[in-house]
Amino acid sequence: MSPKAVRRRTTEHAWLITAPLAGIALVGSLVLALTVPIRFEDWPTAVALLVVMAAAGIPTLSFVVRRQAVVVTLLEIPLVLALFWLSPLLMVVVATAAELFTQIHRGYAPPKFWFNVARAAAGFSVAGLVLAAMPPHEGVGPATWGAVFAAVAANALISLVAVVGVITLLQGWQGTRETTSTAIQVLLTTALNVAVGMIILIALATTLWSILLLLALAVAGVLLYRSYSQFIRQHRTLGDMYELTRAMSEAGQDGNLTDALLGRLRSLMQAEYATLWLPAQGRHPEVLLTARLDDRGLLDVAPTPAVIREKTRASGRTVALGRAFGGDPTLRSALADSKVKDVIAVPLRSGQAVIGTLEVANRLSDVGHFAPADLPIFETVAAHAAVALENSRLVDRLRHDAYHDALTRLPNRRRITGALAESFTIAAPGEVVALLLFDVDGLRQVNESLGHAAGDKVLAEVASRLRASAPSSALVGRAGGDEFLVTLRLESAEAALELAAQLRDQIRDEMVFDALTLDVNTAVGVAVHPDHGSDAATLLLRVDLAATAAKSVPGSVQLFNPALESRSLRRLGLAGDLRHALDQGELEVYFQPKVTLRDRRLVGVECLARWEDPTHGTVAPEDFVAVAEHTGQLSRLTEVVLREGLRRSRDWALADQPLPIAVNISARTLTDQHFPDRVQELLTEYGVPAQRLTLEITEAGVLDGTDRPIPTLRRLRDLGVRLSVDDFGTGDSSLAHLRRLPVHEVKVDRSFVQGMATDPGDLAIVNAVVTLSQQFGLAVVAEGVESELTLELLQDIGCEIGQGFLFSRPLPYERLAAWFGAQVEPESISNGELPRLRVVP
């Protein structure tokens, strides 16, 4: 049976279950009529029990299962009395008549009405057969208890099987699972009712005066029953609201806020539909999404007329229409035309402005309707949803600003880098990922002669022409300054060169600004993956080399070739010298202080390797680290830095100045399963507590899209070593990914910190990283603090630790000791506090 077939079934198909139940009831009653005669002296008692059973069937406890409602009543209490005092057939007649009255009172539709009557009659007839099969009972002893309990249990089992069967027929196996989950509560309530009925039976059998006490207990029981029902509803509502708000909080970070909100809201309000409407605002298009029962995913339509949403938005007040509400006659007429029985629409507010509406329609079950008590619950959820949606839009806006150029609105270098990295993960045979870099010639002359406004117009026009001329599959971005990037998949490097030439010709057309006509030329560099690089950074570096080479021949298009990469050739020559330097101990470790930004207390140092080679001169760390990675010397290089850092940490501790150290490790080191053991051996050798060592891993290394680094990180954490994510923000990850990693610290990349004072986007990103990291319990270190203005901005947003040239450059050990003595206030050492630095003018 397909899911679609199940969804098309209506309550009319309930006859497939109702008919067999009616047959069971007729056969059971016929057997009882032939085997156990009716005692006519029982008729007065039967009439009294008929009234009691009809009254007991009115108070209900409902469990909504998808579109249906499972109803639990107090009927088992008088049923115990009927089983004891009436003949089985008369009990069936009385109980069925009482059920018929109860169903008429509830006003169900015919299919459900006859199903409930047939279900009750079948259950009562089977209960009568069970009782008739038992030995005759005398008195109200344990034998009678067992017989009556067996009969009631048979009735409850028939009812439960019938309900499960009809819901499975109409709603599919999902409905079966949900119904089964309520079975325990239904059966426990039935057992409780049977126990109460037994107690009443014993009391009445002892003395009829107990009727007075039982009436008082009945009134109290009804009140308690209603309180219990209300408590169950409130408990479920509170639990669902908690799950809803938690799901919205988690989904907001993953971009699935609308799915989590509408699905859980529909379940919380027991509605068939839940709809979110957000009118178009700025660059955000209109959003109209609906979650419907039985449908996976969201629909882009709503069952209710648009006039209800417009009225809610215009008035800024809740609009409720249905049997329990009044409302505007015009809206009620529109609702009737849409064949929706009831609806609640609530405005979503951002401050004083209404940003959209949230609505639920069609309360589940045949007789269910929204009530005034639902309004405060729904309005509370809507208030949380409005905040979550506005925060989601704010984060989206910040993310958009962080990844787009303010002038041209094109993706910036950061976004292009992320797109390249993503495109590399998909291998397409017979295709390459091409990267084209357009360098605008003469922009400096335009700025100097005509002003920067004219230069901005030139850049905007170049961006417009590239966007219009590039294939639809291409991503066009601005790398910064006068450089533009285009990336897409092509058949070959030759096709990339041909496209670059075509786009360059489009840009070369004359540009007219007011009375001024400009002729702008470009130099184009081309690089392709995988021929020219296996990662985004390498490809960007090499396409930049190609564009630089193209500048030497005005207006040319240059494909990258290895001869352009002189720096890589230099690195190749460093391999043997690096091995010799490691053997002879020629590498030196420098230390850069890490201080608290509020009061400038020294809280640790970062250990940095430096190499001064007699032949090559000062070798940049990125050069010899890259050589070490490619020549298998990385583990030796890491151990050299670790040993020197731990040795100095031990010396500082012996001088009563314990100072934590931080050491950078490569992503490749995390793949070495023996590395944690080596760290433990070095900590033991130098007698340094593990908590004084912090290992810093770049964002790309720790968040590489796989779980490979996690086992090593956990082993290091178990040693007590602190873990830090270095250069955070340069990759394409988010803080949400860090929650699954055992890290303690986040270091904001210097490119964001140094741009805080001039770039609002960088300031917003640093602010977001600091705020969210603190919420996740992570420490935040700002790299590249080089000015007092940057320091003040970091203090304002609550960043606690920083490092940079404002405090000190990386220093060798001897100079660090001298600097430390010159900068530290003596009193901060004598009283045992963390070393506090003097303010350096």
Side-chain angles (χ1 to χ4, degrees):
M1 184 181 299
S2 68
K4 291 185 178 179
V6 172
R7 286 199 294 269
R8 286 197 296 268
R9 284 178 174 164
T10 65
T11 53
E12 298 295 334
H13 291 83
W15 291 108
L16 296 173
I17 304 295
T18 302
L21 290 174
I24 293 173
L26 290 175
V27 172
S29 299
L30 181 61
V31 171
L32 290 175
L34 295 176
T35 56
V36 183
I38 295 178
R39 300 188 299 268
F40 291 98
E41 63 271 15
D42 294 340
W43 280 105
T45 305
V47 172
L49 287 175
L50 174 62
V51 175
V52 174
M53 294 180 77
I58 295 177
T60 61
L61 181 63
S62 299
F63 300 92
V64 175
V65 179
R66 300 176 74 78
R67 299 180 186 272
Q68 309 300 326
V70 179
V71 178
V72 180
T73 68
L74 300 172
L75 186 63
E76 290 85 0
I77 296 176
L79 180 61
V80 170
L81 305 181
L83 288 168
F84 181 79
W85 276 320
L86 303 180
S87 60
L89 181 58
L90 185 57
M91 177 274 299
V92 173
V93 172
V94 169
T96 303
E99 183 67 22
L100 189 64
F101 170 81
T102 301
Q103 296 303 319
I104 293 174
H105 172 76
R106 292 176 184 165
Y108 287 137
K112 191 166 187 176
F113 173 88
W114 290 113
F115 166 77
N116 284 334
V117 172
R119 172 187 56 80
F124 295 144
S125 62
V126 171
L129 290 173
V130 171
L131 187 65
M134 295 285 182
H137 53 268
E138 296 181 0
V140 289
T144 301
W145 301 351
V148 172
F149 185 81
V152 176
N155 171 66
L157 183 61
I158 291 294
S159 295
L160 183 60
V161 170
V163 170
V164 170
V166 75
I167 289 183
T168 302
L169 177 69
L170 301 181
Q171 305 296 337
W173 292 108
Q174 179 65 27
T176 303
R177 289 192 292 269
E178 296 182 21
T179 307
T180 305
S181 67
T182 66
I184 296 178
Q185 300 178 35
V186 173
L187 294 176
L188 286 177
T189 305
T190 300
L192 177 63
N193 289 343
V194 172
V196 173
M198 291 290 188
I199 293 173
I200 293 174
L201 177 62
I202 294 172
L204 291 175
T206 302
T207 173
L208 291 179
W209 286 105
S210 62
I211 293 177
L212 298 177
L213 296 176
L214 293 175
L215 287 175
L217 289 176
V219 173
V222 170
L223 295 177
L224 288 174
Y225 209 75
R226 288 182 176 178
S227 299
Y228 173 71
S229 174
Q230 184 179 9
F231 169 77
I232 289 294
R233 286 194 299 269
Q234 290 177 345
H235 177 73
R236 187 201 65 203
T237 300
L238 288 174
D240 289 348
M241 287 186 66
Y242 170 75
E243 291 295 332
L244 173 60
T245 53
R246 187 178 68 172
M248 285 194 298
S249 175
E250 295 175 353
Q253 302 169 7
D254 301 332
N256 300 320
L257 176 60
T258 304
D259 300 75
L261 168 63
L262 294 180
R264 291 180 179 271
L265 174 64
R266 188 205 57 73
S267 176
L268 170 65
M269 299 301 295
Q270 296 182 5
E272 184 178 2
Y273 300 94
T275 300
L276 170 67
W277 177 53
L278 299 174
Q281 180 183 4
R283 67 180 184 84
H284 298 285
E286 180 185 24
V287 174
L288 180 63
L289 295 171
T290 298
R292 182 174 66 181
L293 183 68
D294 298 330
D295 280 326
R296 291 185 177 182
L298 301 179
L299 309 176
D300 58 358
V301 295
T304 54
V307 64
I308 295 178
R309 292 184 289 278
E310 294 288 355
K311 178 68 174 178
T312 304
R313 181 192 180 194
S315 65
R317 301 177 63 182
T318 299
V319 173
L321 302 171
R323 190 177 70 175
F325 308 103
D328 188 332
T330 304
L331 297 180
R332 293 173 63 88
S333 176
L335 187 67
D337 294 338
S338 65
K339 298 181 180 180
V340 174
K341 66 179 180 179
D342 51 3
V343 62
I344 302 176
V346 179
L348 297 174
R349 297 182 179 277
S350 175
Q352 297 299 320
V354 177
I355 62 173
T357 63
L358 197 61
E359 65 182 54
V360 288
N362 279 3
R363 190 66 174 266
L364 295 178
S365 82
D366 296 339
V367 296
H369 291 273
F370 294 121
D374 295 315
L375 295 181
I377 297 174
F378 191 18
E379 289 172 346
T380 301
V381 172
H384 286 288
V387 173
L389 288 167
E390 189 65 11
N391 287 342
S392 178
R393 281 192 169 184
L394 175 60
V395 171
D396 179 66
R397 187 160 55 249
L398 290 173
R399 186 179 294 115
H400 180 274
D401 292 342
Y403 285 96
H404 288 78
D405 174 57
L407 174 63
T408 63
R409 309 309 300 170
L410 292 177
N412 57 18
R413 177 181 287 268
R414 197 175 301 135
R415 176 68 184 92
I416 293 290
T417 303
L420 279 174
E422 291 175 5
S423 65
F424 294 167
T425 61
I426 303 174
E431 288 186 347
V432 298
V433 178
L435 182 63
L436 286 57
L437 176 60
F438 293 81
D439 193 314
V440 180
D441 293 336
L443 184 64
R444 179 178 179 182
Q445 289 76 9
V446 173
N447 288 332
E448 291 176 349
S449 58
L450 303 177
H452 286 277
D456 289 346
K457 289 182 179 180
V458 171
L459 292 174
E461 181 63 20
V462 172
S464 177
R465 292 184 180 185
L466 273 177
R467 192 162 36 199
S469 304
S472 58
S473 59
L475 177 63
V476 181
R478 183 185 178 195
D482 55 1
E483 296 180 343
F484 293 86
L485 290 167
V486 177
T487 179
L488 75 166
R489 290 184 178 273
L490 291 171
E491 297 82 3
S492 62
E494 290 73 19
L497 286 172
E498 183 179 351
L499 175 62
Q502 294 174 359
L503 294 177
R504 176 181 167 275
D505 291 339
Q506 294 293 330
I507 298 174
R508 287 184 62 188
D509 288 346
E510 292 182 343
M511 299 182 184
V512 179
F513 302 105
D514 297 328
L516 185 64
T517 301
L518 298 177
D519 187 9
V520 177
N521 205 351
T522 57
V524 189
V526 178
V528 298
H529 166 82
D531 298 347
H532 302 148
S534 59
D535 58 84
T538 301
L539 206 63
L540 283 165
L541 172 64
R542 292 176 174 174
V543 79
D544 189 63
L545 291 174
T548 302
K551 288 182 180 180
S552 61
V553 182
S556 71
V557 176
Q558 175 68 55
L559 180 68
F560 172 81
N561 63 80
L564 300 175
E565 199 169 25
S566 59
R567 187 175 186 182
S568 294
L569 295 176
R570 179 172 182 264
R571 286 182 179 178
L572 185 60
L574 291 174
D577 294 334
L578 176 61
R579 183 177 294 106
H580 179 269
L582 290 172
D583 292 338
Q584 300 301 319
E586 295 177 0
L587 266 67
E588 191 173 359
V589 176
Y590 281 41
F591 304 88
Q592 185 173 28
K594 298 166 65 174
V595 304
T596 58
L597 300 180
R598 187 65 59 185
D599 53 9
R600 305 199 187 198
R601 293 184 183 275
L602 186 64
V603 293
V605 293
E606 181 178 1
C607 303
L608 302 167
R610 294 293 183 264
W611 182 20
E612 191 74 23
D613 184 75
T615 303
H616 301 285
T618 301
V619 183
E622 56 268 23
D623 286 340
F624 65 78
V625 169
V627 170
E629 285 186 336
H630 289 93
T631 58
Q633 302 179 74
L634 183 61
S635 59
R636 291 189 63 195
L637 177 61
T638 303
E639 183 170 338
V640 166
V641 180
L642 268 173
R643 280 188 173 277
E644 181 64 11
L646 292 173
R647 184 168 71 89
R648 297 304 184 185
S649 180
R650 179 194 60 189
D651 295 343
W652 288 322
L654 293 175
D656 293 329
Q657 295 180 3
L659 200 60
I661 63 168
V663 176
N664 294 290
I665 62 172
S666 170
R668 186 170 297 183
T669 303
L670 295 179
T671 63
D672 182 4
Q673 59 179 341
H674 302 295
F675 179 69
D677 297 330
R678 188 56 182 152
V679 171
Q680 178 65 71
E681 292 172 3
L682 291 174
L683 289 170
T684 303
E685 179 180 346
Y686 288 98
V688 176
Q691 61 270 22
R692 287 190 197 156
L693 173 62
T694 298
L695 297 178
E696 298 182 1
I697 312 99
T698 60
E699 178 189 7
V702 73
L703 294 170
D704 61 353
T706 70
D707 292 334
R708 288 177 298 180
I710 294 180
T712 302
L713 291 174
R714 286 177 176 165
R715 289 179 60 192
L716 291 169
R717 178 200 59 187
D718 293 340
L719 293 178
V721 173
R722 289 177 54 82
L723 300 173
S724 175
V725 178
D726 198 11
D727 299 334
F728 187 82
T730 56
D732 196 32
S733 59
S734 69
L735 279 168
H737 297 153
L738 295 180
R739 301 183 67 183
R740 64 186 180 89
L741 298 176
V743 298
H744 307 83
E745 181 182 275
V746 172
K747 297 188 74 174
V748 186
D749 186 69
R750 68 180 66 250
S751 62
F752 297 108
V753 175
Q754 293 174 349
M756 289 175 60
T758 57
D759 189 342
D762 287 342
L763 177 60
I765 290 173
V766 176
N767 190 12
V769 171
V770 171
T771 302
L772 293 177
S773 296
Q774 290 174 346
Q775 290 179 358
F776 294 161
L778 301 175
V780 183
V781 178
E783 297 183 292
V785 183
E786 297 182 2
S787 68
E788 291 290 344
L789 178 56
T790 301
L791 175 62
E792 293 175 2
L793 291 173
L794 289 169
Q795 290 175 339
D796 291 341
I797 64 178
C799 186
E800 297 179 355
I801 303 173
Q803 63 183 104
F805 292 170
L806 179 64
F807 309 111
S808 173
R809 294 176 179 272
L811 300 172
Y813 176 75
E814 295 76 16
R815 290 182 58 190
L816 177 69
W819 173 89
F820 185 72
Q823 302 297 325
V824 173
E825 297 179 0
E827 60 274 13
S828 67
I829 298 177
S830 61
N831 57 20
E833 298 176 350
L834 288 172
R836 185 171 65 248
L837 307 181
R838 291 192 181 97
V839 176
V840 180

